[in-house]
């Protein structure tokens, strides 16, 4: 429709596009020949609509307040959309936006009104972020892109080149750090393996030494020493029953066992004599 519209029809198209919900990019409409002729036909009223379209393409609500005398009056839908686009522009410059700065830029009298604008922008998916009511600030995560103002393309290219060079430097530094870490890790691995080999060699050496000592001392341990056999034989002969010194005397022991026990007295009130302590029998140790 815009390709064939000129004059008042083109101005009406600009008015409808800036009021339509969900339309936030105006570069294609701005590039149409009929729209560009609005600023060249010498009609001041139609020229205002070209300025209005430029305002919505890459300006903010503050610019509207500054130049409202050269722009047509805005309806409520246009004002709300322009404030949403202004939040997008501010969010592209800073990640943390204090409520005080936003209220000044958008001319919102209360925090509740400001938060309603931000929430609507988030639902429209032109902005993503979190509202920190305790700190009274907006934490930005994502913003949509807006149209570029004439002469800003070179500035953006310069910024992208600076970003690319900075990113390349950071990546190079990271690669160097990773290479250094790999070298240190390989060196540490070599030291650990060397220590492990030394430990295993020491263990094998000790095992071999212990095996040799066991082999040398195990040959003479199976027999009984001859002098032990001799002394045990002599002891058996000397300590036999009825033998010589240290032997067991059966007759003497029998005499001790045949002693008569004393007769106990009869009658009342007579205390039985206490039994004499029986002599302990001594046994000879063989």
């Amino acid at each position: 429709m815009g390709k064939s519209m000129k004059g008042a029809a083109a101005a009406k198209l600009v008015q409808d596009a800036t009021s339509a919900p969900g339309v936030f990019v105006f570069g294609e409409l701005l590039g149409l020949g009929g729209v560009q002729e609005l600023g060249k036909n010498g009609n001041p009223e139609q020229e205002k609509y070209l300025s209005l379209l430029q305002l919505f393409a890459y300006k903010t609500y503050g610019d509207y307040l500054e130049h409202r005398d050269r722009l047509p009056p805005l309806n409520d839908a246009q004002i709300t959309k322009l404030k949403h686009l202004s939040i997008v522009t501010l969010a592209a410059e800073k990640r943390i936006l204090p409520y005080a700065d936003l209220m000044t830029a958008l001319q919102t009298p209360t925090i509740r009104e400001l938060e309603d604008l931000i929430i609507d922008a988030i639902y429209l998916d032109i902005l993503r972020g979190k509202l920190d009511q305790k700190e009274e600030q907006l934490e930005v995560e994502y913003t949509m892109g807006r149209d570029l103002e004439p002469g800003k393309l070179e500035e953006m290219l310069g910024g992208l080149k600076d970003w690319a060079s900075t990113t390349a430097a950071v990546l190079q530094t990271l690669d160097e750090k990773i290479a250094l870490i790999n070298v240190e890790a390989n060196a540490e691995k070599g030291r650990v393996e060397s220590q492990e080999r030394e430990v295993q060699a020491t263990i094998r050496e000790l095992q071999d030494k212990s095996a040799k000592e066991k082999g040398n001392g195990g040959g003479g341990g199976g027999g009984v020493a001859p002098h032990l056999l001799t002394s045990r034989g002599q002891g058996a002969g000397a300590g036999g029953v009825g033998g010589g010194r240290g032997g067991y005397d059966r007759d003497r022991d029998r005499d001790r066992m045949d002693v008569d026990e004393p007769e106990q007295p009869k009658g009342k009130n007579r205390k039985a004599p206490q039994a004499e302590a029986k002599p302990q029998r001594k046994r000879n140790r063989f």
Side-chain angles (χ1 to χ4, degrees):
M1 292 172 60
K3 292 179 180 179
S4 59
M5 290 183 177
K6 295 182 180 180
K12 180 65 168 59
L13 179 62
V14 170
Q15 181 72 12
D16 293 341
T18 53
S19 302
V23 180
F24 297 99
V25 180
F26 307 94
E28 294 182 4
L29 182 61
L30 190 60
L32 295 177
V35 174
Q36 288 295 323
E37 288 180 1
L38 293 175
K40 301 176 182 179
N41 57 13
N43 189 334
E45 291 299 322
Q46 293 181 2
E47 187 177 350
K48 289 181 180 181
Y49 285 94
L50 177 61
S51 299
L52 178 65
L53 186 59
Q54 291 172 344
L55 174 70
F56 275 83
Y58 35 72
K59 298 292 184 178
T60 63
Y61 186 71
D63 295 320
Y64 165 72
L65 296 177
E66 186 178 353
H67 305 288
R68 69 170 65 189
D69 55 336
R70 292 182 287 178
L71 296 167
L74 302 182
N75 56 36
D76 292 340
Q78 289 172 318
I79 291 175
T80 301
K81 181 184 290 191
L82 187 58
K83 287 184 177 182
H84 286 160
L85 292 171
S86 301
I87 296 175
V88 169
T89 298
L90 294 173
E93 298 173 356
K94 294 181 180 179
R95 183 179 176 275
I96 304 296
L97 295 175
Y99 281 3
D101 295 347
L102 290 172
M103 293 173 69
T104 301
L106 303 177
Q107 294 295 303
T108 52
T110 62
I111 293 179
R112 178 60 183 272
E113 185 177 348
L114 173 64
E115 290 181 342
D116 289 342
L117 280 171
I118 296 173
I119 292 171
D120 290 341
I122 292 174
Y123 276 115
L124 291 169
D125 201 26
I126 63 175
L127 175 71
R128 295 176 194 168
K130 296 180 181 178
L131 293 174
D132 189 344
Q133 295 179 331
K134 181 179 179 181
E135 299 295 333
E136 294 188 349
Q137 63 186 15
L138 169 64
E139 299 178 3
V140 181
E141 298 177 358
Y142 158 83
T143 62
M144 60 163 283
R146 296 191 66 185
D147 297 300
L148 281 178
E149 189 176 356
K152 294 291 185 179
L153 182 59
E154 291 76 10
E155 182 180 346
M156 176 173 283
L157 288 175
L160 289 174
K161 288 180 181 179
D162 293 340
W163 176 81
S165 60
T166 302
T167 304
V170 171
L171 291 175
Q172 183 178 358
T173 303
L174 289 175
D175 290 339
E176 293 175 356
K177 292 289 185 181
I178 292 173
L180 180 60
I181 291 172
N182 289 333
V183 171
E184 293 178 352
N186 292 331
E188 181 64 21
K189 183 179 179 181
R191 286 193 293 269
V192 171
E193 291 178 352
S194 177
Q195 292 177 356
E196 184 67 22
R197 288 193 296 268
E198 291 178 1
V199 169
Q200 294 297 330
T202 304
I203 291 174
R204 286 195 298 269
E205 182 179 351
L206 293 174
Q207 289 176 345
D208 295 342
K209 185 176 179 181
S210 177
K212 289 181 180 179
E213 290 178 353
K214 289 181 179 179
N216 293 334
V224 180
H227 67 279
L228 294 177
L229 291 174
T230 305
S231 61
R232 288 177 182 175
Q234 292 176 354
V241 177
R245 184 180 181 181
Y248 178 69
D249 192 350
R250 294 180 178 175
D251 297 333
R252 182 179 58 187
D253 215 31
R254 187 182 299 113
D255 294 338
R256 287 181 181 177
M257 294 174 63
D258 293 338
V259 176
D260 295 333
E261 294 181 3
E263 185 177 355
Q264 296 185 5
K266 299 180 181 178
K268 297 182 179 179
N269 298 328
R270 293 185 182 181
K271 296 182 180 179
Q274 295 180 356
E276 294 182 2
K278 190 176 182 179
Q280 262 188 351
R281 186 186 287 179
K282 294 184 181 180
R283 297 175 179 268
N284 292 330
R285 294 181 182 178
F286 292 95

